[in-house]
């Protein structure tokens, strides 16, 4: 059994994926991006987000001036590709629930990309966890409480780490303050991939 660490109610699985498993996951994510190309979403205020994203699964997460939501198709109209077995295996190992994920959101962070403090609250059932996988450069992960004004704490996420937002932490505010460029050799172009798996409906 892999060791876990409790970080502000978030369950961390350090080095859950070994190098070979990380490489297999990256290959699976490249196939997703070939079928459903990465795009820079806009926030609902019309500002481009610094991360690029795409999805796999029954629903993909999209953002534009119409707001944040799940859609059954990529913005170009193509279906999202299926969630790869490598990602399903991580979900099955750590989620603790019977339901299968319906969305596999893939975020790419170039060196200077970040993600502001947010809650994952576009899903219907908050008893279902969110499972996240980090690949590539180290990232400074900030976690707070259920109110934006709650105090926060930060920890570095490394390539191969998995984290689970469940229970009281399911609606915790969280974000990525910055990357530490050059800390991983996994992605030839550098940067970081993050995969989040969720049940949407
Ligand atoms: C990231 N993660 O690690 C951003 N959301 O790049 C998230 O926004 C996130 O790590 C829900 C659950 C776990 C996460
Ligand atoms: Fe999130």
């Amino acid at each position: 059994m892999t060791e876990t660490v409790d970080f502000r109610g978030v369950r961390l699985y350090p080095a859950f994926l070994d190098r070979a498993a990380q490489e297999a996951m990256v290959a699976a994510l490249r196939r997703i991006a070939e079928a459903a190309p990465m795009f820079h979403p806009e926030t609902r205020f019309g500002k481009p987000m610094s991360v690029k994203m795409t999805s796999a699964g029954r629903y993909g997460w999209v953002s534009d001036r119409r707001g944040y939501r799940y859609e059954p198709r990529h913005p170009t109209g193509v279906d999202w590709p299926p969630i790869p077995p490598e990602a399903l295996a991580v979900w099955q190992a750590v989620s603790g629930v019977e339901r299968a994920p319906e969305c596999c959101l893939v975020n790419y962070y170039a060196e200077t990309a970040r993600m502001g403090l947010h809650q994952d609250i576009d899903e219907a059932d908050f008893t279902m966890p969110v499972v996240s996988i980090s690949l590539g450069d180290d990232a400074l992960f900030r976690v707070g409480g259920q109110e934006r004004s709650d105090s926060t704490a930060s920890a570095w996420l490394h390539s191969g780490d998995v984290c689970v937002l469940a229970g009281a932490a399911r609606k915790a505010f969280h974000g990525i303050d910055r990357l530490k460029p050059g800390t991983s050799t996994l992605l030839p172009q550098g940067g970081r991939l993050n995969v989040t798996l969720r049940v949407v409906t």
Side-chain angles (χ1 to χ4, degrees):
M1 193 49 203
T2 325
E3 218 179 294
T4 65
V5 176
D6 179 279
F7 173 59
R8 287 293 203 101
V10 173
R11 200 157 75 239
L12 297 181
Y13 293 73
F16 186 79
L17 298 179
D18 65 16
R19 178 72 183 213
Q22 293 172 41
E23 285 170 0
M25 190 73 69
V26 171
L29 302 183
R30 286 195 198 290
R31 291 190 288 270
I32 293 173
E34 277 162 23
M38 293 256 178
F39 56 95
H40 272 288
E42 279 188 346
T43 67
R44 63 196 150 95
F45 311 109
K47 212 177 152 240
M49 293 176 67
S50 60
V51 298
K52 290 206 301 185
M53 45 178 82
T54 191
S55 294
R58 173 110 175 62
Y59 297 98
W61 190 83
V62 301
S63 167
D64 57 26
R65 285 161 206 252
R66 287 166 49 209
Y68 309 133
R69 63 198 182 276
Y70 287 97
E71 291 279 1
R73 291 194 182 76
H74 187 271
T76 57
V78 299
D79 283 340
W80 305 106
I83 300 178
E86 294 86 350
L88 292 173
V90 173
W91 173 273
Q92 274 149 17
V94 306
S95 72
V97 299
E98 292 295 322
R99 287 186 71 185
E102 296 170 310
C103 174
C104 172
L105 174 65
V106 185
N107 291 144
Y108 175 71
Y109 293 72
E111 263 188 28
T112 58
R114 52 185 295 285
M115 188 173 293
L117 211 60
H118 68 276
Q119 290 173 295
D120 285 32
I121 49 171
D122 299 321
E123 301 78 26
D125 183 352
F126 298 124
T127 69
M128 294 289 117
V130 182
V131 170
S132 140
I133 306 165
S134 291
L135 298 160
D137 285 338
D138 294 350
L140 190 57
F141 184 53
R142 182 192 290 269
V143 177
Q146 310 228 357
E147 307 292 333
R148 187 175 283 280
S149 56
D150 289 344
S151 70
T152 62
S154 298
W156 287 97
L157 295 177
H158 308 286
S159 195
D161 291 355
V162 167
C163 79
V164 180
L165 263 62
R170 175 62 180 75
K171 289 197 271 183
F173 276 88
H174 59 278
I176 297 289
D177 287 347
R178 61 190 162 90
L179 301 194
K180 202 185 279 179
T183 44
S184 168
T185 57
L186 185 68
L187 305 176
Q189 76 275 36
R192 172 174 181 265
L193 285 164
N194 172 256
V195 175
T196 47
L197 295 157
R198 313 112 196 279
V199 174
V200 172
T201 61

